[in-house]
Amino acid sequence: MLAPSSQSAIKPHIEYESLGDPAHPAIVLIMGLGMQLTGWPDDFCHGLVARGYRVVRFDNRDCGLSGRAQGKKRANLLLAMAAAALGLPVRTPYTLEDMAGDVVGLMDRLEIPQAHIVGVSMGGMIAQVLAARFPQWVLSLTSIMSSSGNRRLSRPSKTARKVLLSRPADPKNLRVGHRSSGGNVRCDR
């Protein structure tokens, strides 16, 4: 059962969908930077529901149908990353901690006392902050294609970073290919 919902009890407004029986153990899915809740494939979500879980997926703030940062100029992600790399202060309208608070607020609103938390990319970072700051809400943590943010960890090449952080000129023309030998993935524009 799919129950798309809007809720205004959380500031900012967070758009979400709740699937499955609310009495079942919950899995909260946190998507990455710029990705909507629909980035979690329906078949994946319904498969979890079929295995006896309640699934909650949502749009992070400034994404999809969730609320936008008010009165703030759009952040320049590449400039912010350059400043961080140089050890300069980075000003943001909100933090990963704020976004982890959004998840707790949503869980509270949906009367979910604890959940299995799954995050991908930036959603994995939000999930890690959630587990560290609010462990009483977390049954388990799965962080996919993510990082702790530790500067000593390996980084993607400049070329890969540029492709990963830039918007395609025309999303309809974005092709993603898969080379079977070695499982490498390439992005062509």
Side-chain angles (χ1 to χ4, degrees):
M1 166 176 27
L2 178 66
S5 300
S6 296
Q7 50 90 27
S8 57
I10 301 169
K11 301 297 180 195
H13 163 79
I14 300 295
E15 187 72 18
Y16 71 92
E17 291 179 349
S18 180
L19 297 86
D21 186 336
H24 289 175
I27 298 176
V28 175
L29 304 174
I30 310 171
M31 191 41 83
L33 181 66
M35 294 295 296
Q36 290 183 259
L37 61 89
T38 54
W40 293 103
D42 287 338
D43 288 345
F44 173 71
C45 295
H46 292 294
L48 293 172
V49 170
R51 285 167 180 77
Y53 292 97
R54 175 186 187 180
V55 176
V56 175
R57 57 184 176 172
F58 63 96
D59 291 339
N60 284 311
R61 50 169 85 190
D62 278 339
C63 184
L65 298 176
S66 286
R68 304 286 185 260
Q70 298 298 314
K72 302 290 182 179
K73 194 171 98 175
R74 187 175 185 165
N76 182 327
L77 188 58
L78 292 175
L79 185 61
M81 289 179 66
L86 295 171
L88 300 172
V90 177
R91 297 188 186 183
T92 60
Y94 48 85
T95 65
L96 291 172
E97 286 80 6
D98 295 327
M99 296 176 85
D102 293 345
V103 178
V104 169
L106 179 60
M107 289 174 64
D108 186 52
R109 167 71 170 83
L110 296 176
E111 298 180 353
I112 299 172
Q114 291 185 310
H116 300 282
I117 307 296
V118 180
V120 64
S121 192
M122 184 186 76
M125 297 174 91
I126 296 166
Q128 290 173 58
V129 171
L130 174 66
R133 301 278 198 276
F134 306 101
Q136 68 276 20
W137 293 86
V138 179
L139 290 171
S140 67
L141 167 66
T142 303
S143 181
I144 305 166
M145 301 184 314
S146 193
S147 170
S148 67
N150 184 327
R151 289 184 178 186
R152 291 180 280 184
L153 295 176
S154 63
R155 304 256 183 224
S157 69
K158 288 181 184 179
T159 302
R161 188 172 27 245
K162 183 177 178 183
V163 169
L164 291 170
L165 296 176
S166 64
R167 294 176 190 258
D170 181 356
K172 293 176 188 169
N173 291 333
L174 179 64
R175 297 186 331 257
V176 178
H178 181 266
R179 190 174 69 202
S180 60
S181 63
N184 295 323
V185 175
R186 68 174 195 284
C187 294
D188 298 321
R189 294 187 188 231

